[in-house]
């Protein structure tokens, strides 16, 4: 492998989706990492904790000695095999630890002993994370945002997916945005969500065009928070409003929350999936019961149960329209009107999904 220098050109690394191996512990990686990084730690969580305790009690040299003792013999060889495989599979990649210090230096030295010269990310994870936070602020300041707004069920995400200059915030958050929007997979960490959005914006703005479309969102997408700097700009951004009839919106919700979500549960849980699917929707409904009021909550809950019973007995999903329509008209629509009234941005256009896509691609 030819020599390549260490780098602090974080922009090129992140824009180029350059593969990286992360030397930090699995726990550190889980809290936050980068989309093209693979967790190939020098130490396990327990080993890192023991070394940290030793460092506090006995100093750096003792901690280094303990680290070499813990990562030796078979455990070292297993990890070396993973690192060798990564370097051969990704010859243009890099490695890093938290600050580009001892852990990444150690792994690089061990690889060099085997004739593999693999460069480091200078400053490590911490420096790249700070770079992305700064880039997020700069991108938000430079971008000309336009929101794709509309009532629940108008298919705003479908519009976002068709626009080349858009960031899918819900996709990045792993959540559909509503009270019922949690998917089977866990959401990314807050740090990973912010990293993904920042990189998406960097890529869109890199070519000089500052037009960026976003779906109109509140402060939270599930349990992930929109960065304040982005949320503040969105409150003032102009809007394209997607409009469809109530019946069309009900069909979209059935497609997303009954059919698609049901298939996800079936793939993940087999025969139990349908029961778990209903239980999930009932739990979501229960969380908003106070806002619905006790009587309305009981009515919608009963309609939901009845719709699933009919679906299971006949395969007919049309009766789901009853509880969905009730939720849209009595809960989501009033909330949307209230939130739209608080937006400072100008409404540029109203129309169907197809009309909004056509207009947005011409701007």
């Amino acid at each position: 492998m030819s020599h390549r220098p260490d780098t602090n050109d974080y922009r090129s690394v992140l824009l180029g989706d350059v593969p990286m191996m992360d030397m930090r512990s699995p726990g550190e990686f889980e809290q936050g990492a980068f989309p093209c990084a693979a967790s190939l730690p020098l130490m396990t969580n327990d080993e890192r904790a023991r070394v940290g305790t030793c460092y506090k009690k006995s100093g750096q040299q003792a901690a280094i000695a303990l680290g070499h003792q813990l990562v030796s013999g078979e455990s070292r060889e297993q990890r070396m095999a993973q690192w060798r495989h990564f370097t051969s599979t990704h010859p243009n990649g890099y490695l890093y630890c938290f600050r580009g210090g001892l852990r990444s230096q150690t792994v690089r030295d061990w690889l060099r002993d085997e004739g593999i010269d693999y460069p480091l990310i200078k400053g490590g994870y911490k420096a790249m994370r700070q770079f992305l936070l700064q880039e997020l602020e700069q991108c938000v300041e430079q971008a000309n945002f336009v929101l794709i707004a509309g009532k629940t069920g108008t298919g705003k995400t479908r519009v976002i997916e068709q626009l080349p200059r858009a960031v899918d915030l819900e996709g990045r958050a792993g959540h559909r945005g509503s009270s019922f929007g949690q998917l089977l997979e866990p959401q990314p960490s807050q740090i990973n969500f912010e990293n993904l959005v920042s990189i998406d914006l960097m890529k869109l703005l890199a070519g000089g065009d500052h037009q960026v479309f976003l779906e109109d969102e509140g402060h939270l997408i599930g349990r992930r928070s929109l960065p304040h700097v982005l949320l503040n700009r969105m409150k003032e951004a102009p809007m394209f409003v997607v409009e469809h009839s109530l019946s069309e919106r009900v069909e979209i919700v059935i497609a997303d929350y009954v059919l698609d979500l049901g298939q996800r549960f079936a793939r993940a849980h087999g025969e139990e999936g349908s029961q778990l699917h209903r239980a999930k929707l009932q739990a979501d409904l229960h969380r908003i019961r106070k806002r619905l009021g006790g009587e309305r909550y009981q009515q919608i809950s009963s309609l939901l149960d009845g719709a699933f019973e009919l679906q299971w007995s006949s395969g007919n999903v049309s009766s789901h329209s009853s509880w969905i329509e009730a939720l849209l008209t009595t809960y989501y629509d009033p909330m949307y009107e209230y939130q739209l009234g608080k937006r400072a941005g100008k409404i540029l256009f109203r129309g169907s999904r197809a009309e909004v896509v056509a207009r947005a691609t011409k701007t």
Side-chain angles (χ1 to χ4, degrees):
M1 183 180 297
S2 60
H3 174 73
R4 289 185 296 122
D6 299 341
T7 187
N8 58 1
D9 186 358
Y10 312 129
R11 180 181 300 276
S12 294
V13 169
L14 294 168
L15 289 182
D17 296 327
V18 176
M20 297 174 281
M21 54 178 178
D22 190 322
M23 302 291 101
R24 298 174 303 151
S25 67
E28 292 171 286
F29 187 88
E30 187 177 337
Q31 290 176 7
F34 306 106
C36 288
S39 180
L40 294 171
L42 172 61
M43 292 183 287
T44 65
N45 293 334
D46 179 66
E47 289 165 353
R48 175 175 175 261
R50 292 174 63 184
V51 169
T53 300
C54 180
Y55 179 85
K56 291 177 182 178
K57 290 183 177 180
S58 307
Q60 185 181 52
Q61 292 305 314
I64 292 173
L66 177 59
H68 281 274
Q69 177 185 337
L70 293 172
V71 186
S72 61
E74 185 177 349
S75 66
R76 172 176 162 165
E77 181 49 42
Q78 288 174 346
R79 291 167 209 186
M80 284 294 298
Q82 292 179 317
W83 300 329
R84 287 194 298 266
H85 177 73
F86 188 94
T87 61
S88 64
T89 306
H90 306 289
N92 295 320
Y94 293 88
L95 63 86
Y96 68 85
C97 61
F98 183 65
R99 292 188 179 88
L102 193 57
R103 285 181 283 182
S104 53
Q105 295 281 357
T106 297
V107 174
R108 180 169 67 174
D109 289 345
W110 288 355
L111 287 171
R112 280 178 172 173
D113 289 342
E114 298 197 3
I116 301 171
D117 191 0
Y118 211 65
L120 309 181
I121 298 289
K122 294 180 181 179
Y125 168 83
K126 185 177 181 180
M128 278 196 293
R129 169 66 175 160
Q130 288 301 314
F131 170 79
L132 278 178
L133 289 174
Q134 294 167 5
E135 281 295 307
L136 180 61
E137 291 192 8
Q138 294 176 15
C139 287
V140 168
E141 183 178 340
Q142 296 169 6
N144 297 322
F145 291 117
V146 177
L147 302 186
I148 303 299
K151 294 179 178 179
T152 299
T154 52
K156 299 182 291 295
T157 301
R158 286 165 169 76
V159 172
I160 289 291
E161 290 171 347
Q162 294 182 65
L163 299 179
R165 297 200 58 78
V167 175
D168 184 358
L169 295 174
E170 291 184 2
R172 289 311 194 186
H175 195 282
R176 285 179 169 152
S178 73
S179 302
F180 293 75
Q182 179 63 55
L183 301 173
L184 276 69
E185 302 80 11
Q187 290 187 259
S189 70
Q190 179 67 31
I191 291 173
N192 283 354
F193 172 58
E194 293 170 359
N195 288 346
L196 289 167
V197 170
S198 181
I199 293 170
D200 284 346
L201 288 173
M202 286 172 56
K203 289 180 175 180
L204 285 177
L205 299 182
D209 186 345
H210 290 181
Q211 182 81 76
V212 177
F213 291 93
L214 302 171
E215 185 170 342
D216 186 14
E217 304 285 355
H219 171 54
L220 291 174
I221 304 178
R223 296 189 176 185
R224 299 289 78 87
S225 300
L226 285 177
H228 290 296
V229 63
L230 177 58
L231 185 65
N232 290 338
R233 280 294 309 278
M234 290 173 66
K235 290 177 181 178
E236 301 174 350
M239 293 171 283
F240 286 4
V241 178
V242 185
E243 295 182 330
H244 281 280
S245 68
L246 179 60
S247 61
E248 290 172 314
R249 292 164 55 210
V250 169
E251 289 180 6
I252 288 287
V253 176
I254 288 177
D256 288 348
Y257 290 88
V258 177
L259 297 175
D260 177 70
L261 190 60
Q263 291 168 2
R264 292 174 186 240
F265 270 98
R267 288 194 296 268
H269 301 285
E271 294 182 0
E272 293 183 83
S274 57
Q275 291 286 351
L276 293 172
H277 180 202
R278 178 173 69 171
K280 187 266 186 195
L281 293 181
Q282 282 286 12
D284 293 337
L285 182 65
H286 189 262
R287 279 195 296 273
I288 60 172
R289 68 192 183 283
K290 291 183 179 179
R291 296 180 184 177
L292 292 170
E295 183 177 353
R296 186 180 299 156
Y297 163 71
Q298 291 295 340
Q299 291 172 345
I300 296 175
S301 176
S302 178
L303 290 171
L304 193 157
D305 273 341
F308 270 103
E309 293 295 339
L310 180 61
Q311 178 185 349
W312 294 340
S313 63
S314 67
N316 188 344
V317 299
S318 62
S319 58
H320 282 283
S321 62
S322 58
W323 68 269
I324 292 171
E325 184 172 322
L327 262 183
L328 291 178
T329 56
T330 64
Y331 178 71
Y332 282 106
D333 288 0
M335 182 168 56
Y336 166 77
E337 296 292 350
Y338 171 75
Q339 292 172 344
L340 185 65
K342 294 174 64 178
R343 291 295 195 198
K346 179 182 178 181
I347 296 177
L348 301 176
F349 180 75
R350 292 178 181 268
S352 67
R353 287 189 300 278
E355 291 168 337
V356 168
V357 169
R359 179 62 66 92
T361 51
K362 292 179 181 179
T363 58

